[in-house]
């Protein structure tokens, strides 16, 4: 595994809530192109595949949609993927299987009531990323997925909604959120951050809530890299923090509030989805099935 001393010492210090940094995630990727081993490249590529998953979702709805340039694959490659051309020799030969499976399942899944393509794309991405062989990166994605599920469950319960109607995917934490009716879903013993998330869920300002969640994740990344400042995971953690700053630099408080309210409205709509759909939804499965 590589040592990225020069890259990390030469990159600007990132500060939560600070000004937009002079460097971007794409800049980091360009600097790494000729330095990474195949093993390290898979780790870093996993970070950028999130944007490809969302780009695929956009193209499935609109072939002329604007794409996030941070994705690994060009519009030409993704269009070829959507056309089903994935045989050896085609451009899509390097596209991960989870994206091919997502595209294949889309025609039937999109007909179901309450289907949201971004949610489905991110669920497919998390199922892929949580199995990556780098233990620290896999732990990061497990944490991120659990946080998302826990916050969804807490908000649903606070509003008097049926928690199980809002959760997608599988895993021990997700299953406990669906099945356990205690105040903490039985998770306080298992997860030392459960009480912190519960406090964040009680915040009334949606923008502050999002900032607190990012601060929680930022702190976790800092702790994981405190004695590990130059490994491929340190680079991955730097990219993850940088992405947070990039996102906040594009949002003023009113925009952030509007986005959060849009998410809540989507959740309200999805609560009406019949239970039999959740049992047959091709995206509501474990990655290993």
């Amino acid at each position: 595994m590589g040592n990225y001393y020069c890259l990390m010492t030469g990159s600007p210090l990132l500060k939560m809530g600070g000004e937009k940094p002079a460097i971007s995630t794409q800049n980091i990727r360009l600097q790494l192109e000729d330095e990474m081993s195949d093993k390290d490249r898979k780790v870093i590529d996993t970070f950028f595949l999130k944007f490809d998953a969302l780009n695929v979702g956009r193209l499935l709805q609109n072939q002329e949609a604007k794409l996030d340039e941070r994705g690994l694959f060009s519009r030409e490659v993704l269009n070829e993927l959507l056309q089903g051309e994935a045989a050896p020799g085609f451009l899509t030969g390097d596209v991960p299987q989870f994206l091919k499976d997502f595209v294949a399942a889309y025609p039937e899944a999109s007909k179901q009531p309450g289907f949201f393509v971004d949610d489905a794309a991110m669920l497919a991405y998390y199922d892929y990323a949580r199995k990556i062989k780098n233990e620290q990166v896999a732990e990061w994605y497990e944490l991120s997925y659990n946080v998302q599920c826990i916050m969804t469950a807490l908000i649903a319960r606070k509003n008097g909604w049926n928690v199980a109607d809002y959760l997608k995917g599988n895993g021990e934490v997700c299953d406990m959120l669906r099945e356990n009716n205690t105040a903490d879903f039985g998770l306080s013993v298992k997860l030392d951050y459960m009480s912190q998330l519960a406090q964040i869920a009680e915040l009334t300002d949606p923008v502050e809530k999002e900032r607190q969640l990012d601060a929680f994740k930022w702190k976790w990344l800092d702790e994981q890299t405190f004695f590990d400042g130059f490994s491929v995971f340190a680079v991955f953690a730097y990219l993850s923090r940088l992405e947070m700053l990039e996102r906040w630099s594009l949002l003023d408080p009113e925009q952030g509030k509007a986005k959060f309210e849009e998410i809540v409205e989507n959740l309200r709509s999805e609560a009406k989805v019949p239970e039999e759909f959740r049992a047959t939804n091709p995206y509501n499965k474990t990655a290993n099935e």
Side-chain angles (χ1 to χ4, degrees):
M1 190 168 290
N3 184 305
Y4 298 94
Y5 177 84
C6 293
L7 173 67
M8 299 308 295
T9 55
S11 297
L13 180 67
L14 301 182
K15 181 180 179 182
M16 183 69 185
E19 295 182 358
K20 182 179 180 180
I23 198 169
S24 70
T25 50
Q26 289 171 292
N27 293 148
I28 298 292
R29 188 171 132 203
L30 289 173
Q31 291 182 48
L32 288 168
E33 277 190 348
D34 298 326
E35 297 184 32
M36 292 185 292
S37 65
D38 289 343
K39 184 177 181 180
D40 285 0
R41 186 178 302 279
K42 185 175 181 62
V43 171
I44 300 303
D45 282 356
T46 300
F47 171 85
F48 289 100
L49 280 170
K50 171 169 60 179
F51 308 113
D52 290 297
L54 294 172
N55 282 342
V56 167
R58 293 174 185 174
L59 289 176
L60 284 167
Q61 297 178 98
N62 176 11
Q63 291 187 355
E64 303 301 321
K66 183 178 180 181
L67 303 184
D68 192 320
E69 296 180 354
R70 291 173 292 183
L72 294 174
F73 300 105
S74 67
R75 183 184 293 270
E76 181 184 9
V77 172
L78 296 183
N79 280 335
E80 188 177 274
L81 175 66
L82 268 57
Q83 293 165 10
E85 298 171 341
F90 283 101
L91 296 174
T92 50
D94 292 331
V95 174
Q97 188 62 42
F98 85 91
L99 284 176
K100 298 174 184 177
D101 293 341
F102 176 73
V103 171
Y106 177 79
E108 286 302 315
S110 61
K111 296 176 184 177
Q112 304 291 344
F115 175 83
F116 297 105
V117 69
D118 283 355
D119 291 347
M122 288 305 296
L123 179 58
Y125 170 72
Y126 274 120
D127 282 346
Y128 168 84
R130 288 156 66 197
K131 300 194 303 293
I132 189 171
K133 292 183 179 179
N134 183 290
E135 184 176 345
Q136 288 175 295
V137 173
E139 188 176 354
W140 160 253
Y141 282 113
E142 190 70 29
L143 173 80
S144 299
Y145 176 72
N146 287 344
V147 167
Q148 183 172 315
C149 291
I150 290 168
M151 292 301 294
T152 298
L154 288 169
I155 293 170
R157 177 180 279 181
K158 184 178 180 180
N159 285 277
W161 304 332
N162 181 17
V163 172
D165 287 340
Y166 294 93
L167 296 176
K168 295 183 178 180
N170 289 283
E172 184 179 0
V173 170
C174 198
D175 290 342
M176 290 179 69
L177 291 169
R178 286 194 187 97
E179 299 165 4
N180 193 298
N181 294 320
T182 60
D184 66 349
F185 300 96
L187 289 172
S188 292
V189 175
K190 178 179 177 61
L191 304 175
D192 59 6
Y193 53 82
M194 182 65 196
S195 61
Q196 186 176 350
L197 293 184
Q199 292 175 3
I200 294 175
E202 289 298 316
L203 295 172
T204 56
D205 183 344
V207 177
E208 180 60 21
K209 188 177 295 185
E210 290 298 307
R211 289 191 182 279
Q212 289 294 329
L213 285 173
D214 276 356
F216 165 80
K217 294 176 183 178
W218 188 291
K219 181 174 179 289
W220 187 90
L221 290 167
D222 279 348
E223 290 173 349
Q224 295 297 309
T225 55
F226 188 79
F227 296 109
D228 180 30
F230 308 112
S231 68
V232 67
F233 179 72
V235 177
F236 179 93
Y238 188 91
L239 284 167
S240 298
R241 289 190 292 260
L242 186 54
E243 183 200 355
M244 294 183 204
L245 297 183
E246 289 177 339
R247 175 163 52 86
W248 282 107
S249 71
L250 298 175
L251 291 173
D252 60 34
E254 284 304 310
Q255 289 175 317
K257 181 179 180 183
K259 179 61 177 176
F260 184 84
E261 290 173 347
E262 176 188 337
I263 293 171
V264 171
E265 286 303 315
N266 285 344
L267 287 175
R268 284 200 181 99
S269 298
E270 192 177 353
K272 301 175 184 178
V273 178
E275 187 61 33
E276 57 266 26
F277 161 60
R278 298 192 174 280
T280 58
N281 183 355
Y283 292 111
N284 198 19
K285 299 178 180 178
T286 62
N288 293 324
E289 288 181 341

